């Protein structure tokens, strides 16, 4: 998992060609201006305005195969829960090909705070859940990035 300031996103285009393709299409400063769900070539940009929710299944996480996620916090602080699918999770719901996710259960969940103005790249081998037990409002963007 990678956590960094949003202004540094373009630096990761070397390791992730799909990220280079994204920042070639849209300036990093303009990414935070999306106010509705958008498809931009083969990228899915999802806008989220989350409110506190302490009533959720704390041991359920999701993972993807076709896409990896970039979570960008625009306002507030997000909390990402995660666990390695290889040795810290058990499959809870089989992979849904159309929606690109499987659900996992874990008792070995770790958390990472994503402050305002930061992003987090979540690789496919980590099951995750965003807005995990947040106690504040969060405005964020999730970008679905094709793996290949």
């Amino acid at each position: 998992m990678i956590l960094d300031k949003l202004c540094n996103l373009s630096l990761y285009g070397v390791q992730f060609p799909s990220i280079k393709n994204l920042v070639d299409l849209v300036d990093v400063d303009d990414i935070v201006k999306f106010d509705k769900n958008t498809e931009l070539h083969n990228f899915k940009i999802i806008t989220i305005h989350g409110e506190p929710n302490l009533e959720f299944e704390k041991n359920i996480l999701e993972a993807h195969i076709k896409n990896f996620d970039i979570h960008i916090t625009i306002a507030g602080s997000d909390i990402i829960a995660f666990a390695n699918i290889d040795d810290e999770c058990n499959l809870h719901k089989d992979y849904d090909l159309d929606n690109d996710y499987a659900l996992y259960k874990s008792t070995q969940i770790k958390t990472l705070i994503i402050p305002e103005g930061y992003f987090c790249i979540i690789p496919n081998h980590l099951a995750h859940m965003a807005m995990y037990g947040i106690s504040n409002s969060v405005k964020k963007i999730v970008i679905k990035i094709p793996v290949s």
Side-chain angles (χ1 to χ4, degrees), residues 39-58:
E39 292 205 21
L40 185 65
H41 293 269
N42 53 351
F43 303 103
K44 291 181 184 172
I45 300 168
I46 303 164
T47 59
I48 300 170
H49 298 163
E51 295 298 325
N53 178 12
L54 299 177
E55 296 181 24
F56 63 100
E57 290 192 61
K58 291 178 172 54

Side-chain angles (χ1 to χ4, degrees), residues 20-145:
K20 181 183 181 328
N21 294 342
L22 173 68
V23 296
D24 285 348
L25 289 171
V26 60
D27 188 71
V28 171
D29 293 333
D30 292 333
I31 289 174
V32 298
K33 296 177 184 172
F34 285 95
D35 60 357
K36 63 181 179 179
N37 294 353
T38 304
E39 292 205 21
L40 185 65
H41 293 269
N42 53 351
F43 303 103
K44 291 181 184 172
I45 300 168
I46 303 164
T47 59
I48 300 170
H49 298 163
E51 295 298 325
N53 178 12
L54 299 177
E55 296 181 24
F56 63 100
E57 290 192 61
K58 291 178 172 54
N59 63 343
I60 302 292
L61 307 171
E62 69 175 10
H64 312 289
I65 293 176
K66 296 188 292 188
N67 296 292
F68 66 92
D69 287 354
I70 298 178
H71 289 241
I72 302 168
T73 305
I74 299 170
S77 288
D78 191 9
I79 299 173
I80 304 280
F82 64 96
N84 190 304
I85 62 172
D86 295 325
D87 58 3
E88 297 176 341
C89 296
N90 294 312
L91 186 64
H92 179 67
K93 180 181 180 229
D94 288 334
Y95 179 70
D96 178 330
L97 179 65
D98 293 333
N99 295 301
D100 186 37
Y101 79 93
L103 295 180
Y104 292 86
K105 277 191 173 183
S106 179
T107 59
Q108 299 179 53
I109 293 174
K110 281 116 353 241
T111 58
L112 181 66
I113 297 172
I114 315 300
E116 184 174 320
Y118 278 72
F119 71 91
C120 176
I121 299 173
I122 304 172
N124 293 32
H125 67 278
L126 294 178
H128 62 281
M129 185 58 60
M131 299 189 305
Y132 189 82
I134 60 170
S135 59
N136 61 311
S137 296
V138 174
K139 181 178 178 187
K140 65 182 289 179
I141 291 176
V142 176
I143 304 175
K144 302 289 186 181
I145 306 282

